[in-house]
Each structure stands twice: as C-alpha cells, then as structure tokens.
Amino acid sequence: MDHSYRILSPRLLLRPLTEHDLEVIRTWPNHASTRIWFHDYQPIDIDRAVNDYERYRLNERDMMFVAVWMEQELAIGTASLSRIDLTMRTAELGKVYIGSPEAQGLSFGEEMVSALTAFGITTLGLKQLELYVKVTNTRAIRVYMNCGYVHDRSYRHHRVKGATSSLIRMVYTVPRKRSIDASESQG
C-alpha cells in the first residue's frame, strides 16, 4: 500500500507514520487514561514499537497516520485504515485516538474519523468501513455515530490477548446512488 498519502482537514494534517514518530506515539497508549480504551492492555516498549512499525511498513493492506494539529505544529494522535481490500472495497478504521493531553476534548477525534472516512471513500474507492469499539467507550461511539457509522453487532466478552471486554462493530456504508426508473423519467 502506498504509505505517502497526506490528508488535510480544517485543523489537522494526517500524515504517514514514520520511524521518527515511534517514541512519542508508543508512550500515548501507555497512559492509564488512554490504555483503558484499548483491547490490548500490555504496555508498549520501544522494541515492540519498532517491530510493529517494520511489519506495518511492509504490509500492503494497512495505512497508519499521525495527526498533526497544524496551528500548534504538534503531533496529537493516530488513526489507521487496516485490512484494506481494494477488490471488495472494504477496510477497518482503527487506532483512532488523541494521545496528546493538550488536544484532548477539542473534537479532534471526530475530525480525524471524518477525514479518514472521506479519504477511504474518495481516494481509495471504498464502499464500506468497519470498526470495533469497547461498548463502554461511549464518547468514541458518539463520535463514530456523528460521522455516519451505525451499530452493526455486539460481541460479548470478546477475548483479545488475555483481556476480556465487550465490543461492538460499527459500519459506514456508502449510500447507493438511486437510479431513476422508467416511470419517474416519463412523468
């Protein structure tokens, strides 16, 4: 997958993740206030971050972005598209979070989700995006709903790497264009 895309929104630049970002972005999910929303509760050390980055860089189905608050010239969070399938025109929206304390509570999450969803649809030609979120993460669920995602199904006591949590799957489906049938075009 081309890892050079840049996405602009009103206040943010979503740019590709680079090796230089690893130290700062690996510390964000290690904060207790952020970690509670992740399925994987294990702290991320630098070796794991480097290994994950190398796997990502070689992966043809994933794109990871660092969100930069342009006004402050500050990296504030991450967002990704994974399991991109250009044949089926689907992908998973994931790893969307604001890690920088200075940027939390300023609606950047919604801006990131909207920008990444629009990018997937307009640039990659996707027809459906899905995501998984903890049922207790009501703030994120509200953000996703505001961006057009709908609850699809629930997973009770889903186990991921030893942790148990209830998840919901949300989807965004591009509306089909209505075709004008013969009776409408004659009238």
Side-chain angles (χ1 to χ4, degrees):
M1 186 64 52
D2 182 356
H3 294 285
S4 65
Y5 288 106
R6 296 181 181 283
I7 304 168
L8 280 175
S9 67
R11 300 177 295 165
L12 298 173
L13 166 66
L14 276 64
R15 62 167 176 74
L17 172 72
T18 68
E19 192 169 3
H20 299 291
D21 299 312
L22 296 181
E23 182 57 35
V24 70
I25 70 161
R26 84 160 185 88
T27 61
W28 291 336
N30 289 339
H31 293 286
S33 62
T34 305
R35 188 173 50 238
I36 61 170
W37 305 119
F38 285 84
H39 309 301
D40 179 359
Y41 289 43
Q42 303 304 314
I44 300 171
D45 63 24
I46 194 64
D47 291 334
R48 177 178 165 194
V50 169
N51 288 336
D52 288 351
Y53 175 74
E54 287 304 318
R55 274 195 312 276
Y56 152 73
R57 204 172 55 77
L58 299 172
N59 189 323
E60 290 297 318
R61 297 184 59 195
D62 292 350
M63 301 174 90
M64 189 157 180
F65 297 90
V66 173
V68 177
W69 183 1
M70 291 184 292
E71 180 180 292
Q72 303 290 323
E73 297 183 11
L74 176 69
I76 62 162
T78 67
S80 69
L81 288 175
S82 60
R83 299 184 312 120
I84 300 168
D85 185 332
L86 297 177
T87 303
M88 297 299 293
R89 299 168 78 174
T90 61
E92 180 179 343
L93 182 78
K95 293 186 180 123
V96 176
Y97 67 92
I98 307 300
S100 172
E102 301 94 332
Q104 292 176 350
L106 299 176
S107 299
F108 284 120
E110 192 165 320
E111 192 169 328
M112 290 166 60
V113 171
S114 290
L116 199 54
T117 301
F119 167 79
I121 293 164
T122 59
T123 304
L124 300 180
L126 302 177
K127 294 295 180 190
Q128 186 176 69
L129 290 100
E130 68 178 0
L131 61 89
Y132 296 86
V133 61
K134 280 185 158 185
V135 71
T136 55
N137 195 347
T138 56
R139 189 169 20 173
I141 292 167
R142 187 172 46 253
V143 164
Y144 298 135
M145 289 175 65
N146 289 346
C147 293
Y149 287 79
V150 296
H151 180 269
D152 181 56
R153 68 178 77 125
S154 298
Y155 298 91
R156 299 281 183 232
H157 304 293
H158 185 73
R159 293 188 62 78
V160 179
K161 296 185 180 178
T164 302
S165 63
S166 295
L167 301 176
I168 63 172
R169 177 180 184 253
M170 299 182 78
V171 296
Y172 180 96
T173 304
V174 176
R176 291 187 178 179
K177 292 181 181 176
R178 269 188 51 194
S179 61
I180 300 174
D181 67 21
S183 64
E184 289 181 37
S185 63
Q186 294 176 359

